[in-house]
Amino acid sequence: MVGIFDRPRAIIAGWSRRRRWIVAVCLMAGFCLCGLGAVPIVALLDYTQRQGDAFGTPVEAADAYLLQLNLNLAAVGGELDEVGLSRALDADRRDELLKQWEGLRTEIGRTDPPPSKLTWSSFQSTSQGGETVTVTVPVSAQWSGGTATSYKSEPHPWTFTARHQDGGWRLSAVQPYPWCGGYVDQAHCH
């Protein structure tokens, strides 16, 4: 064992003091540069991780969109929680679809009174050929008052277009049923 540890010392021992200093300074500079160079790489990896993997099926992507909308109904006027939403959206249209989602959330919140939740079930998927699938789902709004009374709207179809992307499915278009003038009378929208 002693012989293994003595060999590196034997190599360095033959170097002049100046050469050892140059190697030490170069190694320290290399470690510093690698550390500084790693910061943008780590930031990129962190950003990529926050975007998340695409969903396994088009229905999962549409369901995630509706879940995020439903979870954020109570937060109207407050902080948006978009965790999980961006991974459901097509990378090329993410900003546009996110603005549409925020606008829809705001429009729903303008209802007097706003609904307490959205409900949906029975997703229908239709292949459009190639890498595109259309998902249609009936969505209802439900209002629950402080008493035992509640009201549930008629279900209306929402259509999602999903594309195969990044090894999974992301939404490239969302066509919700109109809120003001559709789910509720225009008079109840502020």
Side-chain angles (χ1 to χ4, degrees):
M1 272 291 195
V2 176
I4 294 173
F5 291 112
D6 288 341
R7 284 187 189 156
R9 289 186 190 145
I11 294 171
I12 296 174
W15 292 355
S16 68
R17 185 179 197 138
R18 181 174 181 211
R19 185 174 183 184
R20 283 184 276 180
W21 271 106
I22 290 172
V23 168
V25 168
C26 288
L27 284 173
M28 286 188 282
F31 285 130
C32 288
L33 290 176
C34 287
L36 293 176
V39 170
I41 293 170
V42 169
L44 175 66
L45 292 175
D46 182 50
Y47 176 76
T48 304
Q49 181 63 31
R50 281 186 279 133
Q51 295 305 311
D53 295 332
F55 285 93
T57 67
V59 168
E60 288 175 357
D63 194 40
Y65 184 95
L66 290 169
L67 280 170
Q68 288 302 313
L69 186 60
N70 200 34
L71 289 172
N72 281 279
L73 288 179
V76 173
E79 182 100 9
L80 287 177
D81 180 12
E82 300 167 359
V83 175
L85 179 62
S86 63
R87 69 182 276 223
L89 304 178
D90 186 317
D92 297 335
R93 303 199 56 224
R94 184 169 285 132
D95 292 338
E96 178 186 338
L97 291 168
L98 192 55
K99 284 179 187 175
Q100 179 190 15
W101 178 85
E102 290 170 353
L104 183 58
R105 182 187 150 276
T106 301
E107 187 175 4
I108 292 171
R110 292 185 353 205
T111 307
D112 184 26
S116 42
K117 67 179 181 176
L118 299 176
T119 58
W120 60 92
S121 64
S122 305
F123 291 91
Q124 299 294 320
S125 297
T126 307
S127 176
Q128 301 301 311
E131 304 283 309
T132 306
V133 171
T134 300
V135 177
T136 305
V137 60
V139 178
S140 297
Q142 185 172 332
W143 287 262
S144 298
T147 64
T149 61
S150 67
Y151 172 75
K152 186 174 183 178
S153 74
E154 290 293 320
H156 297 287
W158 288 39
T159 304
F160 300 88
T161 303
R163 287 185 350 175
H164 197 262
Q165 186 182 75
D166 300 329
W169 294 91
R170 297 185 192 265
L171 302 176
S172 59
V174 178
Q175 297 167 338
Y177 188 80
W179 187 260
C180 292
Y183 281 99
V184 294
D185 288 338
Q186 198 69 35
H188 292 286
C189 291
H190 296 39

